[in-house]
Amino acid sequence: MAQVVVYGHREPLTRRRAALSDAIHGAVMVALDYPAEKRFHRFVGLAAEDFVHPADRGEDYTIIEISLFSGRSDDAKRRLIAELFARIERDAGIAPHSVEITLTETPKVNWGIRGRNAADLDLGYRVEV
């Protein structure tokens, strides 16, 4: 499972939402061998007064938080971060300097999905990549 929350300035984020979603999902699929149909993204556009950050990040400043099941290798997580930076710059036009990424891992037993504990589900894909 990969749940993604993207924060940014409201107008630039709204304008780039589709490109960002495609770039993020493409990176997740490639780096984590993730199924195409498992896209879970939320976009949070913020007013300038609600989004405090260093001025050199500019209006394009974007924060991406990805919650994952535990089990991915360090190499897979490094691939994911590299893919995210490359695809976001190429597909959404946001320079890596203006992007920050956080991966947070938790055990499957800490997730509830489709009315069940995730540890008891057949996910249909491998987590250990």
Side-chain angles (χ1 to χ4, degrees):
M1 188 68 142
Q3 289 280 348
V4 180
V5 181
V6 181
Y7 300 92
H9 289 276
R10 184 172 292 121
E11 194 274 318
L13 186 63
T14 299
R15 188 175 62 246
R16 292 185 168 115
R17 184 180 306 139
L20 275 167
S21 184
D22 288 346
I24 292 166
H25 195 57
V28 170
M29 288 190 306
V30 166
L32 303 181
D33 194 26
Y34 201 68
E37 69 277 7
K38 301 286 186 181
R39 187 184 302 219
F40 300 96
H41 298 172
R42 293 175 306 285
F43 292 85
V44 181
L46 300 164
E49 62 271 14
D50 294 326
F51 197 26
V52 179
H53 57 79
D56 69 335
R57 301 309 195 275
E59 287 291 309
D60 290 342
Y61 184 54
T62 305
I63 298 172
I64 300 167
E65 297 177 348
I66 304 176
S67 298
L68 304 163
F69 291 148
S70 300
R72 273 65 178 216
S73 68
D74 286 350
D75 285 342
K77 290 180 276 189
R78 287 177 178 274
R79 276 193 308 274
L80 175 57
I81 289 171
E83 282 286 330
L84 285 164
F85 282 128
R87 288 170 183 261
I88 289 167
E89 183 171 33
R90 182 190 72 210
D91 300 343
I94 303 172
H97 177 75
S98 293
V99 176
E100 292 189 16
I101 301 161
T102 304
L103 306 179
T104 302
E105 297 180 288
T106 55
K108 286 189 278 186
V109 74
N110 289 3
W111 293 64
I113 301 169
R114 300 186 307 265
R116 301 195 45 211
N117 188 284
D120 301 328
L121 291 174
D122 175 14
L123 299 171
Y125 60 92
R126 290 179 334 126
V127 173
E128 294 79 16
V129 294

